[in-house]
Amino acid sequence: MSQPSTTAVDTAAKDCVTADLQVSVTPDQGSAGHIGYLIGFTNTGQQSCSMFGYPGVSVVGGGNGTQIGQAADRHDWAHARVVVAPGATVTAGLLAVNIGDNGGPLADLCKVVDADGYRIYPPGNTAAAYVPQRNMKACSSDTHWLQVYPVTSRPLGH
């Protein structure tokens, strides 16, 4: 896999746009009571682009893209602008409380429902990407159960 450029300042690289990104969600390390994922943003465009900050993440379902429960909260974490070369991938971490089939540690607060996948807005974008997931569960109440981290130059698989 191509390594992304991590130049801190590159005024020639325009902001990445959703149309030029392939977005994926893959399992990653979690922590006690949490399941970890990496959101991958692969630059499918012909030019380098840059990203800064947090993606917007929500779980959707109903076969029609309806948001389920609360969007992911931003985890306060240091971040910097990253430049993504054509074909390279950068990532953002996503942590979900392990709700299982009954809400897990949030059983009294979380109504667990089936979900179809994620709606993800790359940082600075108003157009979202849809990432389907099989056998996915979501917390449909107002309980905050997702945390997202800012985009970093960490490639998938590392």
Side-chain angles (χ1 to χ4, degrees):
M1 179 165 302
S2 298
Q3 293 291 322
S5 169
T6 57
T7 306
V9 178
D10 184 348
T11 57
K14 295 182 181 179
D15 287 344
C16 296
V17 295
T18 305
D20 288 336
L21 295 170
Q22 179 182 348
V23 183
S24 61
V25 177
T26 57
D28 191 37
Q29 293 179 340
S31 61
H34 291 81
I35 300 170
Y37 301 94
L38 283 177
I39 302 168
F41 298 96
T42 301
N43 181 357
T44 60
Q46 300 299 311
Q47 309 254 333
S48 291
C49 62
S50 67
M51 300 178 91
F52 178 78
Y54 296 84
V57 180
S58 58
V59 175
V60 296
N64 61 9
T66 300
Q67 182 173 323
I68 298 173
Q70 294 292 312
D73 294 320
R74 292 178 174 182
H75 189 284
D76 188 19
W77 199 262
H79 53 285
R81 181 166 297 278
V82 293
V83 176
V84 191
T89 299
V90 296
T91 61
L94 179 66
L95 274 181
V97 173
N98 187 356
I99 60 173
D101 290 331
N102 65 0
L106 301 175
D108 293 340
L109 304 170
C110 176
K111 181 178 183 241
V112 177
V113 298
D114 291 329
D116 300 328
Y118 297 96
R119 179 183 301 128
I120 299 174
Y121 293 88
N125 282 261
T126 57
Y130 169 68
V131 181
Q133 295 289 303
R134 300 181 89 174
N135 304 315
M136 185 176 182
K137 301 290 185 182
C139 185
S140 66
S141 68
D142 287 339
T143 300
H144 295 261
W145 65 287
L146 296 171
Q147 287 186 354
V148 67
Y149 290 76
V151 173
T152 70
S153 59
R154 177 182 172 196
L156 291 172
H158 291 354

